[in-house]
């Protein structure tokens, strides 16, 4: 599954009862900078759902949640990015040419 919101694109892969969400912001993966800025802690502490890091796709960090929490997670990612400004997050993990469109 794919989702898009402005400059953000989300790639979602199903894994049994869970799903993994990878983020693309202008060609960059935001997961690591979000982790450093305590995104996982905020999700568990304030939203009461567990988000795990998954690196199964080309060693890119993605966020794994229960399938029914995918849309909630994407909404929380967008809120977090609005509050923290992705341009200030140290965008270092870039997806290589056409990698984003390759299947898991």
């Amino acid at each position: 599954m794919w989702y898009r919101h402005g400059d953000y694109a989300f790639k979602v892969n199903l894994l049994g009862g869970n799903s993994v969400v990878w983020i693309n912001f202008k060609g960059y993966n935001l997961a690591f900078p979000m982790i450093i800025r305590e995104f996982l802690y905020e999700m568990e502490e304030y939203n009461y759902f567990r988000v795990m890091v998954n690196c199964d796709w080309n060693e890119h960090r993605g966020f794994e949640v229960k399938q029914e929490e995918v849309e909630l997670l994407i909404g929380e990612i967008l809120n977090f990015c609005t509050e923290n400004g992705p341009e200030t997050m140290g965008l270092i993990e870039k997806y290589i040419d056409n990698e984003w469109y390759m299947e898991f």
Side-chain angles (χ1 to χ4, degrees):
M1 290 187 289
W2 301 83
Y3 294 87
R4 180 172 278 297
H5 181 80
D7 289 330
Y8 299 90
F10 301 92
K11 183 177 191 167
V12 180
N13 287 345
L14 306 176
L15 298 173
N18 287 350
S19 293
V20 183
V21 177
W22 285 276
I23 310 159
N24 184 330
F25 176 76
K26 298 181 178 179
Y28 290 90
N29 185 348
L30 294 179
F32 185 66
M34 290 176 68
I35 292 166
I36 290 173
R37 292 189 180 203
E38 299 190 347
F39 176 74
L40 300 176
Y41 171 77
E42 288 185 21
M43 291 305 96
E44 193 166 331
E45 183 70 18
Y46 302 113
N47 295 312
Y48 307 108
F49 72 101
R50 183 176 165 93
V51 180
M52 298 172 286
V53 176
N54 180 306
C55 297
D56 289 346
W57 177 58
N58 293 349
E59 298 184 17
H60 291 297
R61 290 173 189 89
F63 297 123
E64 184 174 337
V65 294
K66 295 177 185 170
Q67 282 180 324
E68 60 269 15
E69 296 172 337
V70 167
E71 291 183 10
L72 175 62
L73 175 65
I74 290 173
E76 291 300 328
I77 290 169
L78 292 171
N79 288 338
F80 187 87
C81 289
T82 298
E83 292 174 5
N84 289 276
E87 289 87 359
T88 67
M89 289 188 192
L91 303 175
I92 56 173
E93 187 180 338
K94 187 165 180 60
Y95 294 105
I96 58 174
D97 294 338
N98 294 325
E99 178 182 38
W100 182 252
Y101 300 102
M102 295 170 51
E103 290 299 316
F104 178 73

